[in-house]
Amino acid sequence: MSTPGGRQGPRLNFGDALQEGWRAFSRSPGPFVGFPLVVVALQFLIQPLQSRISSGGVASSDPFDWVLYLIGLTANLLLNLWCAIGLVRGAGSALQGGHPSLGQLMRWDGEAFLRLLRAWLVLLAVVGVPLLGLLLLVGGPLALLSVYADQLVPFSRTLVEVLGLSLAVVFALLLGVVLLGVIYLAINQSFLTQIVLFERAGSRTAVQRGRALVDPSWLMVLLLTLIEGLLVLLGLLACLVGGFVAWPLVVCIATAAYRQLVLAGGGPDPLPPLPGR
């Protein structure tokens, strides 16, 4: 199929990914649902730390409240990464025919955690630097022009209006380009956690590997992402409880799709074999 780079690549089979993902989830539904419940419960316990910075819509002036907020924010980040790694590890085991336990999903892997954290920081830099540059180089002058417009009007109202309109158009166009880049990047990094965990790739290598793996089937992965989003939405609509089923199910489907793309590209099975096999 055609891709953003014009290359021909392996097509992603939605039916196989959905069936394999469902079978993997069905092998250990209890642990797959239980682990996100544990994570959300822990996040609920630390929520008071983050709520201290605002009372009645007014920001707190106590530095200690902000320190507690940062502690809570960091804890939430740790929990989210921990859950992502655990669910992907369990999905890989289930796709190999195993029955992952809750303990296996909850096992802490500091090395994988650090690799995934660094990969996310690389992505943040890739997105943040152009966005910051746009805000400083175009958004800043536009904001200054709007603030000091009245003082500049005596010189030339028409000039001020034309300059303001031009900056606004340039800002909107460049912001659109940045947003398109974010969407492109979000899709070709759909399997970042799988790459970090199963291929043990470093941060930059993982990001480059994600692009090489997904770009030949970018549109297909986009459609799969939309299907996964629909599944999560349907789960949340089921009194929110279904979200704890849809979340790990989507991870299993994504891991099955990742494996399918690797094998279709001629690579070896990226999932580790079960112990004793």
Side-chain angles (χ1 to χ4, degrees), residues 50-61 65:
Q50 296 181 268
S51 63
R52 293 172 60 94
I53 63 169
S54 177
S55 178
V58 179
S60 173
S61 58
D65 290 340

Side-chain angles (χ1 to χ4, degrees), residues 2-277:
S2 298
T3 64
R7 291 173 288 174
Q8 298 294 319
R11 291 180 64 90
L12 181 64
N13 191 310
F14 291 144
D16 287 348
L18 292 171
Q19 290 177 7
E20 292 172 6
W22 172 252
R23 283 198 297 266
F25 173 80
S26 300
R27 289 192 175 98
S28 292
F32 275 128
V33 173
F35 186 35
L37 281 172
V38 170
V39 171
V40 171
L42 292 174
Q43 289 177 325
F44 179 78
L45 291 176
I46 64 177
Q47 182 60 35
L49 296 177
Q50 296 181 268
S51 63
R52 293 172 60 94
I53 63 169
S54 177
S55 178
V58 179
S60 173
S61 58
D62 188 348
F64 183 67
D65 290 340
W66 288 92
V67 171
L68 291 178
Y69 171 80
L70 291 177
I71 293 174
L73 188 65
T74 302
N76 266 314
L77 173 64
L78 293 174
L79 289 171
N80 287 332
L81 293 179
W82 176 46
C83 188
I85 291 172
L87 288 177
V88 169
R89 181 194 301 121
S93 175
L95 285 167
Q96 291 286 55
H99 299 273
S101 64
L102 183 59
Q104 182 180 350
L105 270 62
M106 295 179 66
R107 177 171 58 85
W108 176 258
D109 187 342
E111 184 182 347
F113 171 83
L114 290 176
R115 291 199 307 270
L116 183 59
L117 177 60
R118 287 194 294 264
W120 275 108
L121 290 176
V122 169
L123 290 180
L124 181 61
V126 170
V127 174
V129 170
L131 185 59
L132 181 61
L134 174 61
L135 292 176
L136 291 176
L137 297 178
V138 183
L142 181 61
L144 290 175
L145 185 63
S146 63
V147 170
Y148 295 103
D150 292 337
Q151 289 87 334
L152 295 174
V153 163
F155 293 97
S156 174
R157 176 183 295 273
T158 302
L159 178 61
V160 172
E161 292 177 348
V162 170
L163 183 59
L165 180 61
S166 300
L167 286 174
V169 170
V170 171
F171 183 80
L173 290 175
L174 292 179
L175 182 61
V177 172
V178 171
L179 291 178
L180 287 176
V182 170
I183 293 173
Y184 165 73
L185 191 64
I187 299 304
N188 73 21
Q189 298 304 314
S190 297
F191 308 120
L192 182 64
T193 305
Q194 286 83 354
I195 293 171
V196 167
L197 185 61
F198 298 132
E199 302 184 23
R200 307 182 66 83
S203 55
R204 293 183 181 180
T205 303
V207 172
Q208 293 169 353
R209 169 62 173 158
R211 181 181 178 186
L213 180 67
V214 173
D215 271 3
S217 302
W218 191 89
L219 291 177
M220 302 298 288
V221 176
L222 171 63
L223 292 176
L224 179 66
T225 302
L226 294 176
I227 293 173
E228 292 171 346
L230 179 60
L231 290 175
V232 172
L233 177 61
L234 292 175
L236 293 175
L237 291 177
C239 301
L240 298 179
V241 179
F244 292 103
V245 175
W247 182 3
L249 174 59
V250 162
V251 172
C252 290
I253 292 172
T255 305
Y258 157 74
R259 182 192 198 185
Q260 186 182 132
L261 287 177
V262 172
L263 294 176
D269 190 345
L271 304 184
L274 294 177
R277 289 195 176 184

